[in-house]
Amino acid sequence: MLSTIFRTLYQFNNDQIFIIKHHPQRRLFCAKSSNADSPRVHPHRESTHRAWEIQSFNANDEISCNRTASIPLITHPNSLLINVHASSINPIDLRVRAGYGRNFLRAVKQFDGLSIGKVVDTATGASSDLLECDPRFPLTLGRDFSGVVVDCGSGVSAFRVGDHVYGAVAPHKQGAHADYVLVNDHELTHKPQTITFLEAASVPFVALTTWCALHTGARLNSQTANNKRVLVQGATGGCGSFAIQLLKYWGCHVTAICRGGDTEVFARSLGADEILDFTSPDFSQNLRSSQKFDVIFHTLFGLEDELPFSLLKPGSVFTSITPPLLKNIDSWGLVPGLGRSAIDLASRFASGAIHGTIYQWAFYRPNPDALVQIRQLIDRGFILPCIHKTYGFDEIPEAYNRLLEGNLRGKIVIDLKSDKINSNETTL
């Protein structure tokens, strides 16, 4: 169980080796990689771009557009610079904006720079100790991206300038709510050919998180999942709407937890076999009287207790994508938070074992092979991107507010090639 936590932490940091990191009027110099590319001028003329940034946590209204942010430089051989055509907003963006993961983010950023420990102001030449500044800010949010490759590091062989790609950036990195985003070559693949950039941007982060939970964790696939009963919580959100389609392709029987009315109609349109309306006064009774499940896919923070282990068959899997790991690190600090998380995981694991079930956590993980398989399913028509509403670049604050309201059918998507869009919400 401890190894699960530390593998997750390592996965967040093992590919983050930069030589220059940007801060307003400052550059952070470090030398952690002997295989790094020398920073070079981009093959396009622009040196600045637009980026939506936060300068602090715990201030949900403090997202602002920097129209003169520096375009990131490629300094690692496996990095690519992407001209972002579209992005989306995930619940993790809202939580990070409010401070979720702040202590972990600080630790990662400081770890990246500890080998030199100096920040140099490029305007004045003055230097200061790394720990005197906050390396987390400014922070650009946005995990998903679709766009066009404009530059590649010397070690990139699978992509060329001009390729249409899609992917997701890890939550601790500078995000894609900007004209350009710097990514590693294992964080993306070529975009599905049958869908638009907007549709492609709705997929990667939720798809890879769901893939980690259901394929990597619960061991479901087209050979093992036939007629397995799966309960999907939050069935019409980003992860839930993708999970229903993936599970139905694998041959599962899917029970979806969502609201009634139009939301129920939407869940059935995705392929859900049964619907449990959580707003119904009979919800708990209906849930407990359901035939037992092979897998429970838990997607909503703070609602694990409404899905008891007794709902599962012996030998089945309860997989959660809302672990308390980062929350514990925020509350207790890095090392104590890791220890508390190990205790939490052990406690839930033991509770599951009493019922003969397996409890596990799942996280977003970069997985280019999974992205390729997902691309193929999209191009073959087995999975359809679900977009609740599209906003223009200048409307990103409105898009965040809409996600905060909840009750979505699919994803909130950002069109970075349009300033404003007069689009309607999904109707059925």
Side-chain angles (χ1 to χ4, degrees):
M1 288 172 285
L2 275 173
S3 64
T4 299
I5 295 174
F6 285 107
R7 278 200 306 270
T8 302
L9 292 174
Y10 177 76
Q11 164 251 312
F12 272 124
N13 193 56
N14 66 350
D15 62 322
Q16 304 312 306
I17 305 175
F18 298 103
I19 301 305
I20 295 182
K21 295 188 189 313
H22 290 278
H23 201 278
Q25 299 182 332
R26 293 182 293 180
R27 285 182 175 179
L28 175 63
F29 291 81
C30 59
K32 291 180 61 182
S33 173
S34 60
N35 299 318
D37 283 2
S38 298
R40 62 183 184 276
V41 177
H42 294 304
H44 45 77
R45 294 183 179 181
E46 299 90 348
S47 60
T48 62
H49 68 147
R50 304 171 301 169
W52 284 93
E53 300 173 340
I54 59 172
Q55 304 291 339
S56 65
F57 295 127
N58 300 318
N60 283 353
D61 58 347
E62 291 297 326
I63 183 170
S64 60
C65 184
N66 181 357
R67 297 184 179 273
T68 58
S70 297
I71 295 177
L73 300 177
I74 288 182
T75 58
H76 189 279
N78 297 112
S79 294
L80 301 91
L81 186 67
I82 309 300
N83 179 210
V84 182
H85 283 225
S87 185
S88 75
I89 302 178
N90 293 286
I92 187 69
D93 295 310
L94 296 179
R95 295 180 67 84
V96 169
R97 185 174 68 160
Y100 177 70
R102 59 189 180 273
N103 286 339
F104 175 72
L105 184 61
R106 178 189 288 275
V108 171
K109 295 292 186 181
Q110 290 180 345
F111 178 82
D112 280 342
L114 282 180
S115 57
I116 50 92
K118 291 292 181 182
V119 173
V120 179
D121 188 323
T122 55
T124 65
S127 63
S128 61
D129 189 84
L130 170 66
L131 300 182
E132 292 177 2
C133 70
D134 192 330
R136 299 171 294 185
F137 302 111
L139 178 63
T140 299
L141 302 175
R143 303 303 102 212
D144 295 302
F145 64 88
S146 63
V148 178
V149 177
V150 296
D151 198 7
C152 301
S154 61
V156 174
S157 59
F159 304 94
R160 293 184 292 184
V161 171
D163 283 355
H164 292 190
V165 295
Y166 81 136
V169 190
H172 67 287
K173 296 175 64 176
Q174 293 291 353
H177 292 164
D179 289 318
Y180 294 91
V181 65
L182 193 66
V183 301
N184 279 18
D185 59 0
H186 66 273
E187 295 176 317
L188 78 166
T189 192
H190 293 94
K191 182 183 78 68
Q193 296 181 356
T194 58
I195 60 175
T196 66
F197 282 110
L198 290 173
E199 292 171 320
S202 72
V203 174
F205 190 80
V206 295
L208 291 178
T209 303
T210 303
W211 189 274
C212 178
L214 298 179
H215 183 273
T216 308
R219 306 294 184 185
L220 296 178
N221 55 55
S222 56
Q223 284 75 46
T224 64
N226 191 41
N227 293 323
K228 291 288 181 68
R229 290 179 53 81
V230 182
L231 179 65
V232 178
Q233 186 191 44
T236 58
C239 287
S241 59
F242 179 84
I244 292 174
Q245 298 182 81
L246 182 64
L247 291 166
K248 292 307 297 179
Y249 170 74
W250 285 338
C252 295
H253 180 283
V254 177
T255 299
I257 298 178
C258 62
R259 293 178 183 270
D262 287 347
T263 305
E264 176 179 344
V265 175
F266 176 66
R268 290 195 183 279
S269 74
L270 297 175
D273 299 286
E274 297 180 46
I275 304 294
L276 294 175
D277 179 1
F278 68 85
T279 65
S280 168
D282 299 324
F283 169 69
S284 295
Q285 179 180 344
N286 293 337
L287 180 62
R288 284 168 171 77
S289 63
S290 298
Q291 186 178 337
K292 292 187 182 295
F293 300 97
D294 297 285
V295 176
I296 291 178
F297 182 36
H298 173 258
T299 67
L300 300 178
F301 280 91
L303 295 178
E304 247 187 42
D305 290 341
E306 77 171 17
L307 304 176
F309 290 112
S310 59
L311 296 174
L312 286 165
K313 301 175 184 177
S316 298
V317 177
F318 187 116
T319 182
S320 173
I321 59 171
T322 63
L325 176 62
L326 296 185
K327 179 182 177 182
N328 286 339
I329 293 175
D330 290 339
S331 299
W332 300 86
L334 182 60
V335 175
L338 288 172
R340 179 58 184 262
S341 297
I343 293 172
D344 289 343
L345 180 58
S347 175
R348 291 292 290 168
F349 188 87
S351 297
I354 292 173
H355 291 85
T357 63
I358 299 170
Y359 177 82
Q360 60 188 18
W361 291 345
F363 306 83
Y364 159 80
R365 296 177 185 174
N367 188 336
D369 292 335
L371 274 181
V372 169
Q373 294 183 60
I374 293 162
R375 179 188 72 204
Q376 293 169 346
L377 292 177
I378 292 172
D379 281 339
R380 293 167 59 193
F382 291 110
I383 291 179
L384 300 176
C386 299
I387 297 177
H388 184 87
K389 187 174 181 179
T390 302
Y391 291 83
F393 183 86
D394 290 342
E395 300 172 310
I396 283 183
E398 298 174 36
Y400 274 79
N401 290 335
R402 178 62 189 90
L403 183 56
L404 273 172
E405 294 173 8
N407 192 24
L408 302 180
R409 294 182 289 274
K411 294 288 293 293
I412 296 292
V413 172
I414 310 299
D415 184 351
L416 274 82
K417 296 305 179 182
S418 299
D419 292 336
K420 294 184 178 181
I421 295 177
N422 185 23
S423 72
N424 297 319
E425 297 195 355
T426 298
T427 58
L428 297 170

